[in-house]
Each structure stands twice: as C-alpha cells, then as structure tokens.
C-alpha cells in the first residue's frame, strides 16, 4: 500500500507493541493520510511512514514520521511508534473503548484467508477454493448465488517467517461449532473471521477463539492461503461453515495477485462497519464464546490431559516416580553426578490464558531424605537457578514453574549416603494438552489434508 487513510488516532501505553498494550486516549480531529517510505505496496516491520493530518491543530502536534510495529486485527488498525518512542494506532474505528487491550496485535503483515483445499459451496456442489476463477458462481450462507470478483493466493514458508504465529493456521476441527459445522477440519489464518450464532450471528476472528482443543493453532512448515472476493462482503460456506469472503482492508498486496490488480480493484480502507455481520470485539463476549466452544469440545469427545510425564534423569538414566497425591517420589543414588527434573511442556496462551511462556510443572517444593536426614529445599534456593521461572503466589500458596528441564544441584544432597529419596511437590491441576476423540471415517477430510500438504 503506497498510502492509506484513517479517520481516528488513539494513543497507546508503553506496551503498545504487544497484546498487553492498552488504549489511552482518542485524539480529536485526527483524520490522516499516511505514505510508506519504500512505496512498494507492502508496509513491513521497521519501515517508516509519513503521516499528515487534516486538522491544522492536530497536524501541529502529530504530523511526522512513524515506524510500523504491527497491526491490530480486532480494530483493524496500523500501529506506529513516533520519534519519541510513543505508540499510536491509526484506524477507522471510532468506538474503541479507552483502557481496552490490543488483543489482536500481530507484529507482522497478516493474511486473512483460507488454506488450500478448503471446500466452497457452489451451484454444482462443493469446490476446492483453488479451482475458483473470476466470474464463477458461489453459494453464500444465505443461499444466494454470487459471482466471484477476484481470487488471491500466497504461498508461505513458515520456517523462514519472522513471526510464525502470525501465519500458522488455525485448525477448526470437524463439529467444533455445531454438528457438521464444519463438516471437516477447516484451516484459516488467525485474522480470518467466521460466523457464530450464540446470541445472534456475529463474526469472530479465528485467533480469538482458540481453545487448544477443537480450535487450535497448528505449527506447519508451509501453507498456501487463498481468498475470494465478491461484489460485497458476504459469508461464504467453507467446509459447511459460514466464513467471510475477502474485504479490502489495505492488504490486497499480501497476495500474489495483489500488485497486478491494485488499480483495477482500488477501494477505500474499510472498517468493521463494512462487514456483513457485526464483529465481536468485547473481551467478555469473546471469553463467553471460548468457554462455550470449550464445553462443545468436551461434548464431542475432547479430553483434558493434565499428565506432566514427570521423570528424573540421573547420569543419563531415566527414572519414573511413584505418585502420592501432588507429590512424585524418586529414588536416586547419593553418588549421582548429574540430576535433572524433566517433564513435558505447554504454553498457557494456547489455552486462552494470558501467558506466552513455555512451562513445565508448577513446583511447590523439594525434599531430599536419606538415612534419617531430611533437607527441604526452598523455592528461592539459588541452586535452583537453571530451569525455573520466577516465584509466583496467590492466597498464601507459592510456586515456581519449571521450563521442562530443571537442573538439580548435587550439592543439595551432598553428604547423604546410600539411596536418596526425592519428594517433588507440584500442582498438577493445569490443562496441559487435549486428547482428540477417535476420528470417524471422513473421506473428504483426508482429501483436504492431502491438499494442504501438497
């Protein structure tokens, strides 16, 4: 995009380049035009853009050069940092609540599209999205036949991408929303909106309803994204699930076809007001939807797993514990030279918790004993530095998360003789993973997966 216009400017706090950022203030009379420095049609991380405001008073304070740091998918806004280090969001949405969070922040240009192999409803039945051409007819969620105006696609090697989370697809499992909705697993980009009907039909960004089970972001080496534009914003039927058609949001140049057709399809930068359904942005509403979809996941057979697979690696040998409640008990030789407490790991963010750390187990305490001697190891013990996150606490209970591989200094049981018993006290209530239900026979699903991989 050589330039873009926006109607509103909001100031952000010092965390404005992350999902922890908060909206501070709406600047009055802040309509502006921004021009990128490279004029190549794609604004990239670290690139500068020059902003000119229409109102003279606003221009006197805010005209100048900003550095692009990311995009806010929920409010459809460009986030820039000025020469003083302050953050701002340029948007056409004048209804953003003050003090709200940037829940949809992504530090990269973002795709809004379907994966190759998605089946789109048409008069002839379902068709793979990559077979659609300009002028073809598709059947919308309301049953109307609409003609394809434009088709775009882009291949992404996720291994080379600077922000893989921005491009890894969201997998919406078969039946995740309702029975046969979708009819087979659907892969869309995190910023893509689908239609849910819990209190009236509304659009939600796929990345905002991840529950780690039936709706999860999956790590892939590569992905090919496609999108379809109609004469107006509509709900396509994708794998039997209503989901949005393409709407110009100053991102057509993301697609391989974008540059060649920029003049033919020029249109103003749209906002959520131009969407065919209201876009859900309130965090309380999104939390309700996530809870309901998590309940739905359990209804169709997804099972929570809390097993940390805790084990002790002593001089290269793996030892399994005997469990007693929240304690895991190991026996190791006093002469051990290297001891590590190892577990599987998980990222709470993947389960709709505001924590992007990779965590092992929540350690409550360690106790070594041998020959009648007992040594309790405090969580603050400096010998526990390698493999632990900082101490946390609530309501008088304190713990420290491991990173999945905690080194235990032999100094903690030095001088003990014979067999040493180690009691590891930990909190095992966290959902660490989901076990998928046994799949039923779905030939179309196998076809979709083959298409995505190909």
């Amino acid at each position: 995009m050589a330039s873009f216009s926006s109607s509103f400017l909001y100031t952000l706090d010092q965390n404005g380049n992350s999902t922890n950022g908060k909206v501070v203030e709406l600047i009055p009379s802040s309509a502006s035009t921004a021009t990128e420095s490279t004029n190549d049609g794609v604004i990239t991380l670290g690139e500068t853009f020059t902003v000119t405001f229409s109102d003279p008073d606003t221009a006197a304070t805010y005209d100048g050069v900003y550095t692009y740091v990311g995009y806010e998918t929920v409010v459809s806004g460009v986030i820039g940092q000025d020469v003083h280090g302050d953050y701002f969001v340029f948007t056409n949405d004048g209804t953003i609540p003050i003090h709200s969070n940037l829940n949809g922040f992504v530090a990269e240009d973002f795709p809004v599209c379907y994966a190759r192999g998605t089946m789109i409803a048409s008069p002839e039945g379902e068709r793979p999205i990559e077979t659609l051409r300009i002028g073809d007819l598709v059947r919308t969620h309301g049953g109307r036949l609409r003609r394809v105006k434009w088709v775009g696609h882009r291949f992404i090697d996720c291994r080379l991408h600077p922000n893989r989370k921005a491009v890894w697809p969201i997998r919406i499992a078969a039946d995740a929303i309702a029975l046969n909705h979708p009819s087979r697993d659907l892969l869309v980009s995190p910023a893509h909106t689908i239609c849910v009907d819990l209190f009236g039909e509304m659009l939600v960004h796929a990345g905002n309803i991840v529950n780690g089970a039936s709706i999860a972001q999956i790590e892939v080496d590569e992905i090919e994204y496609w999108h379809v534009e109609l004469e107006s914003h509509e709900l396509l039927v994708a794998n039997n699930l209503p989901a949005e058609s393409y709407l110009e949001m100053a991102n057509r140049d993301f697609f391989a076809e974008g540059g060649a057709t920029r003049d033919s399809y020029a249109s103003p930068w749209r906002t959520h007001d131009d969407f065919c359904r209201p876009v859900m942005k309130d965090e309380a509403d999104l939390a309700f939807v996530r809870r309901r979809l998590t309940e739905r996941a359990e209804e169709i057979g997804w099972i929570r797993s809390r097993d940390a697979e805790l084990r002790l690696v002593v001089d290269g040998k793996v030892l399994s514990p005997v469990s007693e409640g929240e304690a895991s008990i190991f026996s190791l030789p006093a002469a051990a030279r290297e001891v590590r407490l190892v577990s599987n790991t998980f990222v709470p963010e993947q389960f709709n918790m505001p924590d992007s750390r990779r965590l092992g187990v929540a350690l409550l305490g360690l106790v070594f004993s041998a020959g009648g001697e007992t040594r309790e190891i405090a969580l603050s013990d400096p010998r526990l530095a390698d493999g632990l996150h900082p101490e946390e606490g609530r309501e008088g209970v304190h713990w420290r998360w491991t990173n999945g591989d905690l080194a235990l200094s032999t100094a903690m049981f030095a001088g003990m003789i014979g067999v040493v018993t180690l009691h590891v006290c930990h909190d095992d209530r966290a959902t660490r993973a989901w076990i998928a239900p046994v799949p039923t026979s779905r030939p179309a699903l196998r076809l979709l997966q083959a298409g995505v991989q190909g």
Side-chain angles (χ1 to χ4, degrees):
M1 60 185 166
S3 65
F4 64 87
S5 299
S6 61
S7 300
F8 302 98
L9 177 70
Y10 292 84
T11 61
L12 306 174
D13 67 7
Q14 69 274 13
N15 297 313
N17 62 339
S18 73
T19 54
N20 294 321
K22 291 185 180 294
V23 177
V24 176
E25 180 186 9
L26 170 62
I27 303 302
S29 305
S30 50
S32 66
T33 300
T35 304
E36 62 168 334
S37 58
T38 59
N39 198 32
D40 61 358
V42 180
I43 188 168
T44 58
L45 285 176
E47 182 180 351
T48 59
F49 55 95
T50 302
V51 180
T52 303
F53 289 86
S54 303
D55 184 87
D57 292 335
T58 307
T61 304
Y62 296 103
D63 266 12
V65 176
Y66 294 77
T67 300
Y68 175 71
V69 298
Y71 196 90
E72 221 301 326
T73 62
V74 176
V75 301
S76 298
V78 167
I79 296 178
Q81 184 178 34
D82 69 6
V83 294
H84 306 294
D86 297 322
Y87 295 103
F88 301 84
V89 58
F90 298 83
T91 178
N92 283 337
D93 189 340
T95 64
I96 304 174
I98 303 303
H99 306 308
S100 61
N101 280 79
L102 302 178
N103 296 307
F105 176 85
V106 290
E108 184 56 52
D109 284 344
F110 67 95
V112 183
C113 28
Y114 301 93
R116 165 183 280 270
T118 299
M119 304 300 288
I120 303 297
S122 77
E124 299 81 27
E126 291 187 317
R127 291 180 55 181
I129 192 169
E130 62 271 19
T131 68
L132 293 174
R133 299 292 182 267
I134 294 174
D136 287 352
L137 288 173
V138 296
R139 190 179 300 278
T140 67
H141 173 50
R144 292 187 298 173
L145 298 182
R146 301 297 304 276
R147 204 166 292 280
V148 173
K149 176 183 177 181
W150 175 84
V151 179
H153 87 287
R154 178 173 173 177
F155 174 84
I156 300 174
D157 188 332
C158 303
R159 294 164 295 189
L160 304 178
H161 199 277
N163 182 14
R164 297 176 185 180
K165 282 181 64 63
V167 293
W168 278 335
I170 304 298
R171 187 263 298 133
I172 304 173
D175 304 324
I177 308 301
L179 181 63
N180 209 37
H181 290 78
S183 56
R184 56 184 72 81
D185 287 10
L186 174 66
L187 300 182
V188 297
S189 62
H192 199 98
T193 65
I194 65 168
C195 183
V196 296
D197 188 1
L198 295 180
F199 28 74
E201 288 190 342
M202 297 188 72
L203 296 176
V204 292
H205 292 91
N208 285 339
I209 55 173
V210 168
N211 58 22
S214 58
I215 304 176
Q217 185 162 47
I218 59 174
E219 301 180 8
V220 297
D221 290 339
E222 55 191 36
I223 188 77
E224 186 176 355
Y225 281 125
W226 289 77
H227 221 329
V228 175
E229 184 177 23
L230 309 179
E231 286 297 331
S232 60
H233 196 238
E234 294 274 3
L235 291 178
L236 299 170
V237 181
N239 293 3
N240 204 41
L241 184 70
E244 67 168 322
S245 64
Y246 177 75
L247 179 68
E248 173 68 71
M249 298 288 282
N251 62 348
R252 196 184 298 273
D253 288 293
F254 169 82
F255 301 94
E257 294 81 2
T261 60
R262 189 183 309 136
D263 293 334
S264 301
Y265 296 96
S267 60
W269 192 22
R270 307 292 178 81
T271 74
H272 285 162
D273 290 338
D274 298 296
F275 279 49
C276 61
R277 300 290 190 281
V279 178
M280 189 178 298
K281 296 181 285 185
D282 182 78
E283 180 54 34
D285 291 341
L286 290 169
F288 172 80
V289 172
R290 287 192 293 266
R291 287 194 301 271
R292 182 63 194 94
L293 292 176
T294 299
E295 293 170 0
R296 169 69 185 165
E298 293 181 293
E299 290 170 3
I300 61 176
W302 289 82
I303 301 173
R304 296 175 186 265
S305 173
R306 296 179 171 87
D307 184 6
E309 300 177 336
L310 193 64
R311 56 214 183 266
L312 204 64
V313 181
V314 180
D315 297 332
K317 183 179 179 180
V318 178
L319 304 179
S320 298
V322 174
S323 297
E324 289 186 3
E326 291 187 344
S328 295
I329 304 171
F330 299 90
S331 296
L332 65 150
R337 297 183 303 275
E338 183 182 49
V339 182
R340 306 191 75 86
L341 185 65
V342 179
S343 71
N344 60 28
T345 61
F346 72 109
V347 179
E349 189 176 55
Q350 297 173 351
F351 300 90
N352 296 314
M353 292 178 280
D355 190 343
S356 60
R357 298 176 298 172
R358 183 162 290 279
L359 305 178
V361 295
L363 193 63
L364 301 173
L366 296 173
V367 179
F368 290 93
S369 59
E373 180 184 0
T374 298
R375 298 179 189 175
E376 294 186 14
I377 308 300
L379 293 176
S380 59
D381 193 304
R383 294 171 294 186
L384 293 174
D386 182 13
L388 277 183
H389 291 287
E391 186 172 334
E392 303 171 53
R394 183 175 61 248
E395 298 178 353
V397 178
H398 294 265
W399 65 90
R400 292 183 72 177
W401 284 100
T402 75
N403 63 7
D405 189 0
L406 171 63
L408 298 179
S409 170
T410 57
M412 291 188 288
F413 56 91
M416 289 184 166
I417 300 173
V419 177
V420 176
T421 300
L422 169 61
H423 283 71
V424 180
C425 299
H426 56 93
D427 187 336
D428 61 357
R429 292 174 296 176
T431 298
R432 313 175 64 84
W434 287 90
I435 301 172
V438 177
T440 57
S441 177
R442 289 179 183 267
L445 172 57
R446 291 195 291 272
L447 174 63
L448 168 62
Q449 291 172 331
V452 172
Q453 293 168 354

